[in-house]
Amino acid sequence: MTPPPPPFGFSRSRDDLRFDPALDDESLADARAALAQGRWTAARTLLAETGDDWDRRGHRLVVLGEGGASSTWAREWQLAEPDSSDAAALLACATVFRAVAGKDKPERAREACLTAAALTPADPTPWLCLLILARHTGSDDEQMRAFDQVRGRHRAHHHGHHLMAACLAERPQAGSDGGPFHEVYEFADWAAGEAPAGSSLAVLPVVAHAELYRVLAAAGELPGDPQASGHWQGWRAKQSLKRGFDWWLEWEGAEHPRLYLDLNFLVHAQYLQGRAAEAAALFNRIGGYATRVPWAYPDRDPKKAFRAAREAVLGPGSP
């Protein structure tokens, strides 16, 4: 199976599309830039301010941990403050991404995650990192154990549920052709139904649908052009999108660190279903906060795909 693209890409060009994994978190972007220069005190301040907002803490640690030099500076931070649970969590995240890239041993990354988990037993983030690791180097059982630990600490953990949906979509399923009864749909429907009222996990069935398309298209079972695939025209796609879009219509502006990822999944699905009015509203809400997924699925240029869809809905030269 062709490995999936990373959750986000990052580019800063002269156009309006940012593709920045920090999304609209400017404090995170500033701390990431400082960390890349070896100034870890900005990350320390940021994580201290984040507290036990677990979704935001996970988002910020993952973005900080993806930096190429993050493990080096996390170790420097640990030398200065050996008892810092934030330093341990950052080192765990950074070591996981190094292991996923083949630059470190998975066993070392796993040990770093367990060390961070012992320092902050209530924090789901070290287990989120173990789930990232298990997705690339572990077994199905390891993925599920890590997810259970994440959900046990934060029932509606956004990133954890998205990762588990991707893991399930990637599993071969006996007797299934990837149709509307694939286990990833059962998981997404269950999680969305169990989530608290107003939770953005209402979008998870849309995410599951896109993740399954990625896997099937990469395997040659569906066309590489999502518009030609027919994948977004069946009852499952329409049912999933209705639930997600209804959530957005009722959304009252509650701040969420990964909101723009949800909106990109929604507008992607609206566009592919030919719902121009709904897609236009979402494109206007998103502005320049495009995300790599799902526009890159299965192996497309996300910037070209996003811009083509936006211009088809809003007109040529649309901002």
Side-chain angles (χ1 to χ4, degrees):
M1 180 185 297
T2 302
F8 298 98
F10 176 53
S11 67
R12 284 191 181 276
S13 61
R14 288 179 292 179
D15 64 25
D16 67 313
L17 300 185
R18 301 184 65 188
F19 287 93
D20 185 343
L23 300 176
D24 60 338
D25 192 335
E26 296 297 335
S27 297
L28 172 58
D30 291 344
R32 177 187 58 193
L35 185 64
Q37 297 172 5
R39 295 183 283 116
W40 50 263
T41 54
R44 179 181 61 182
T45 300
L46 181 74
L47 294 174
E49 292 172 348
T50 307
D52 61 358
D53 182 342
W54 299 129
D55 274 320
R56 192 170 305 280
R57 178 176 172 82
H59 172 61
R60 286 176 163 176
L61 276 165
V62 164
V63 171
L64 291 171
E66 286 180 309
S70 294
S71 62
T72 299
W73 302 122
R75 289 191 182 92
E76 289 288 328
W77 181 1
Q78 276 199 317
L79 287 174
E81 298 179 359
D83 297 328
S84 171
S85 59
D86 289 343
L90 178 57
L91 180 60
C93 283
T95 308
V96 162
F97 284 113
R98 284 182 54 82
V100 167
K103 298 178 181 178
D104 214 326
K105 296 180 179 179
E107 293 78 12
R108 184 176 297 176
R110 191 172 296 109
E111 181 179 347
C113 290
L114 294 175
T115 297
L119 288 172
T120 51
D123 184 6
T125 309
W127 301 100
L128 175 70
C129 294
L130 278 172
L131 179 54
I132 295 171
L133 182 68
R135 180 187 178 192
H136 294 276
T137 68
S139 64
D140 292 353
D141 286 344
E142 287 172 321
Q143 293 169 5
M144 187 57 71
R145 284 198 298 269
F147 173 73
D148 285 345
Q149 293 290 340
V150 172
R151 195 172 190 274
R153 288 162 173 78
H154 182 32
R155 179 181 162 199
H157 198 285
H158 190 273
H159 197 169
H161 282 84
H162 275 234
L163 279 171
M164 198 63 219
C167 289
L168 289 171
E170 290 161 5
R171 293 181 186 177
Q173 185 169 321
S176 172
D177 60 355
F181 301 104
H182 192 283
E183 64 177 328
V184 71
Y185 293 124
E186 181 180 357
F187 166 77
D189 288 343
W190 165 79
E194 290 284 311
S199 170
S200 62
L201 290 185
V203 182
L204 195 64
V206 179
V207 174
H209 198 70
E211 293 294 351
L212 189 58
Y213 167 72
R214 169 179 60 80
V215 173
L216 294 174
E221 297 179 36
L222 285 176
D225 178 358
Q227 284 187 297
S229 70
H231 188 66
W232 275 268
Q233 303 308 316
W235 67 267
R236 172 64 78 173
K238 294 176 181 178
Q239 180 188 72
S240 299
L241 183 54
K242 183 181 185 307
R243 174 184 285 183
F245 194 66
D246 284 350
W247 163 80
W248 185 66
L249 289 176
E250 297 170 2
W251 178 64
E252 297 179 350
E255 189 178 3
H256 190 281
R258 286 161 50 90
L259 172 65
Y260 284 101
L261 181 60
D262 290 322
L263 298 185
N264 274 267
F265 271 103
L266 281 177
V267 75
H268 177 262
Q270 294 282 14
Y271 168 68
L272 291 173
Q273 284 193 19
R275 298 177 178 272
E278 293 90 339
L282 285 162
F283 274 123
N284 283 322
R285 177 63 179 83
I286 288 168
Y289 291 107
T291 57
R292 179 175 174 83
V293 302
W295 301 101
Y297 290 169
D299 57 359
R300 307 167 77 209
D301 181 321
K303 181 174 287 189
K304 290 181 179 178
F306 181 93
R307 185 178 288 113
R310 186 175 62 180
E311 291 189 355
V313 170
L314 298 181
S318 54

